Amino acid sequence: MKEMQKETSKQTHYGQFGGQYIPETLASELTRVAQAYDKYKADPEFLVEFHDLLDNYANRPSLLYYADKMTQDLGGAKIYLKREDLNHTGAHKINNVIGQALIAKRMGKTCLIAETGAGQHGVATATIAALFGMECEIFMGKEDTERQKLNVYRMQLLGAKVHAVTSGSMVLKDAVNATMQEWASRIDDTFYILGSAVGPYPFPEMVHDFQSVISKESKQQILETEGKLPDAVVACVGGGSNAIGSFADYIDDKEVKLIGCEAAGKGVDTDQTAATIERGSVGIFHGMKSLFLQNDDGQIDQVYSISAGLDYPGVGPEHAQLAELKRAQYVGITDDEAVNAFEYIAKTEGIIAAIESCHALAYVMKLAPTMRKDQIIICTVSGRGDKDVASIAKYRGVDIDE
Ligand SMILES: *Cc1c(COP(=O)(O)O)cnc(C)c1O
C-alpha cells in the first residue's frame, strides 16, 4: 500500500504520524471527503446546523460538574467532571457522528456505514441515520455481537442493519477492515463515519474538530466559575477521540497538563494489555502511521482490556505526536484500578460512569491528593456506565440475572 500525497486538507500529518495509507480504490473518495470537509469546516451555515443539533438534539453544552465530595475525600486539587455521559445516546461519540453525518448529507450520500466495538459508536451512528432518514449499516466483530447483544438490538430498533464480521479475531480491528472494504465497494452513495481519532486523513482532523467542542466548552465554563485555567485535564484514550476533544483547546496553553489514560488491562508488562503508547511501536495500520501494539514482523497483536471501548491496538496519530513531543503524558490504568474507580465514583458522587471513563477517574484518584487545594483538575466522563453494570457484577463474582 503506498501513501497517497494529496494536499487537499491542511492537517494531513502530525509530525511523522498520520498520513493516508489506503488502497487505490479509496484514494479519490477520500480526496472528495477531504475537499468537502475543507469547504464546510469554515462554512457558517454548516457550523450553525452542527451546533444547533449539538444543543437541541444531543443536549449540549454538557455540564462541568464540581465533584465536591470526591474533592473533599481525596483532599487535594479541586475536581471538575466534564459530563459527556449526559449527552443523548450516553457518550461523546454523538458529537463526531453529527458532524460527519452532516458532511455526508452535503456530499449527497444516502447511506451511512460504521464500525463498532462495544456498540456505542454504532448506536450513535444508527441514531443520526434515523434522524436524517438515511440508510445505515453497522459492522461489528462477531465476538462483540455476542458480548453486546443489547446494543445490537438497539441498533436494529433504530433501523440499522448489523453485520457480524467473522474475519480475523472477530473484534473491533476486524470490523474497521470490513467497513473499509464495504466502503470501497459502494462509494457512490455511502459515507464511512469513523468513530475515533484514527484512520487516514481527513478522519483524524474531522474527529479532532468535532470533538473539540468538549474543551471549548470546558474552558469557557472553568473561566466562568474559577476565573483561571485548570492545572490538569485528564481523559481516557482508546483511539483517542474524547481525549483529543478534551485536550484540543488547551494544547497551546503550555501550563495546562494534559494526561491520557490508556487501558493497561491486566498490567502494562503483561500480554493482556491495550496500553498502545506505553508499549507500542511505530507502524502502519488502518490507513495511518501511528503507534501500534504489534510483534517484530508488524503483525498487530491481540489486545485486552475489561473496557471494550479502549480495546484497540492503535491510537490516533495526533496522540502519538503529543506523546513524542511530551506535550501530553500517557499513563496505563489496570482493570482493577478502573473497577475500583467505577465503584468509588458511584458511591461518592452518585454517578455510574462508563468503565472507559473510569480509567481517567482512577488516575484522578491518584493525582488529586498530590496536588494543592487551590489547583484544578478537569476529568472527562466520556460516557455513562449502564452498559457496564452486568460485567462489573461479573468481575466481582456477583450473579445477576440479565
Ligand atoms: C468509544 C468510547 C471510548 C473510547 O474511544 P475514544 O475514541 O478513545 O474516545 C471512551 N469512552 C466511551 C464512553 C466510549 O464509548
Side-chain angles (χ1 to χ4, degrees):
M1 228 177 277
K2 72 176 172 96
E3 189 186 7
M4 304 293 158
Q5 285 286 6
K6 294 207 178 70
E7 298 296 322
T8 55
S9 176
K10 274 183 224 90
Q11 192 73 69
T12 60
H13 289 77
Y14 304 84
Q16 62 161 315
F17 303 109
Q20 196 181 71
Y21 298 83
I22 46 160
E24 302 268 0
T25 43
L26 282 177
S28 47
E29 182 61 10
L30 272 168
T31 300
R32 279 191 288 274
V33 173
Q35 282 166 343
Y37 185 58
D38 263 1
K39 178 172 161 199
Y40 293 118
K41 70 183 174 191
D43 173 18
E45 224 171 278
F46 175 85
L47 292 171
V48 164
E49 197 177 350
F50 175 57
H51 285 285
D52 180 57
L53 281 163
L54 286 183
D55 293 356
N56 298 310
Y57 189 69
N59 196 30
R60 302 207 71 89
S62 68
L63 292 177
L64 184 69
Y65 166 75
Y66 174 51
D68 188 26
K69 280 187 68 194
M70 198 175 160
T71 298
Q72 300 306 330
D73 185 56
L74 295 170
K78 286 178 101 166
I79 300 161
Y80 282 86
L81 304 179
K82 185 61 176 156
R83 300 285 309 274
E84 294 301 299
D85 58 313
L86 300 177
N87 296 343
H88 181 45
T89 71
H92 66 290
K93 297 253 165 49
I94 195 93
N95 305 328
N96 169 50
V97 171
I98 289 174
Q100 287 194 44
L102 283 174
I103 297 288
K105 225 168 78 168
R106 279 170 167 68
M107 290 179 75
K109 306 292 182 179
T110 54
C111 175
L112 302 178
I113 58 172
E115 86 293 345
T116 199
Q120 299 303 107
H121 177 58
V123 167
T125 303
T127 298
I128 296 303
L131 183 71
F132 286 6
M134 295 167 95
E135 205 186 317
C136 183
E137 300 199 20
I138 302 296
F139 294 80
M140 190 171 185
K142 187 162 178 287
E143 278 286 314
D144 292 330
T145 60
E146 280 157 16
R147 285 189 289 204
Q148 302 286 342
K149 290 199 178 98
L150 200 62
N151 270 344
V152 172
Y153 192 66
R154 207 170 262 146
M155 289 183 264
Q156 289 165 345
L157 273 177
L158 292 159
K161 187 165 175 208
V162 181
H163 299 274
V165 175
T166 55
S167 55
S169 26
M170 307 189 212
V171 292
L172 177 59
K173 74 169 171 40
D174 311 295
V176 174
N177 290 335
T179 320
M180 287 273 180
Q181 273 168 22
E182 173 73 9
W183 198 25
S185 75
R186 53 178 300 186
I187 43 185
D188 289 346
D189 67 344
T190 300
F191 191 98
Y192 178 6
I193 300 204
L194 198 53
S196 190
V198 300
Y201 82 79
F203 285 111
E205 185 199 10
M206 286 196 285
V207 176
H208 167 119
D209 292 353
F210 295 138
Q211 292 293 0
S212 67
V213 66
I214 301 172
S215 51
K216 285 194 183 113
E217 284 176 10
S218 79
K219 191 184 237 182
Q220 198 185 343
Q221 290 166 320
I222 202 73
L223 287 175
E224 267 164 31
T225 44
E226 293 281 352
K228 60 176 182 177
L229 293 179
D231 296 275
V233 175
V234 184
C236 67
V237 178
S241 71
N242 89 87
I244 209 65
S246 303
F247 295 171
D249 228 40
Y250 298 104
I251 291 175
D252 292 336
D253 301 313
K254 295 287 187 286
E255 70 275 25
V256 179
K257 271 196 192 145
L258 306 176
I259 304 157
C261 302
E262 298 191 297
K266 301 268 166 69
V268 176
D269 300 325
T270 70
D271 57 6
Q272 290 195 295
T273 185
T276 311
I277 292 180
E278 227 173 317
R279 273 278 302 275
S281 53
V282 178
I284 291 169
F285 189 58
H286 285 164
M288 61 176 167
K289 188 183 218 185
S290 192
L291 295 170
F292 298 96
L293 289 167
Q294 55 190 336
N295 67 18
D296 295 339
D297 303 328
Q299 284 278 55
I300 297 297
D301 286 340
Q302 292 253 33
V303 291
Y304 165 82
S305 162
I306 188 173
S307 143
L310 304 183
D311 205 347
Y312 182 70
V315 70
E318 192 173 358
H319 287 293
Q321 186 193 30
L322 289 172
E324 195 176 63
L325 296 173
K326 297 195 166 23
R327 173 63 191 96
Q329 176 195 352
Y330 295 84
V331 297
I333 296 293
T334 63
D335 286 0
D336 258 336
E337 292 172 319
V339 172
N340 286 338
F342 185 93
E343 293 166 339
Y344 178 80
I345 185 81
K347 292 209 169 76
T348 53
E349 293 291 345
I351 296 170
I352 296 190
I355 189 66
E356 289 84 5
S357 320
C358 290
H359 287 70
L361 291 162
Y363 189 68
V364 170
M365 290 166 66
K366 298 188 209 181
L367 180 65
T370 70
M371 291 169 66
R372 295 190 317 266
K373 289 188 176 178
D374 63 337
Q375 292 185 300
I376 297 167
I377 301 172
I378 294 179
C379 178
T380 299
V381 179
S382 54
R384 66 176 180 232
D386 311 49
K387 66 183 179 57
D388 301 309
V389 171
S391 70
I392 300 298
K394 195 167 155 207
Y395 190 85
R396 290 300 189 209
V398 178
D399 193 13
I400 55 169
D401 261 337
E402 270 190 89

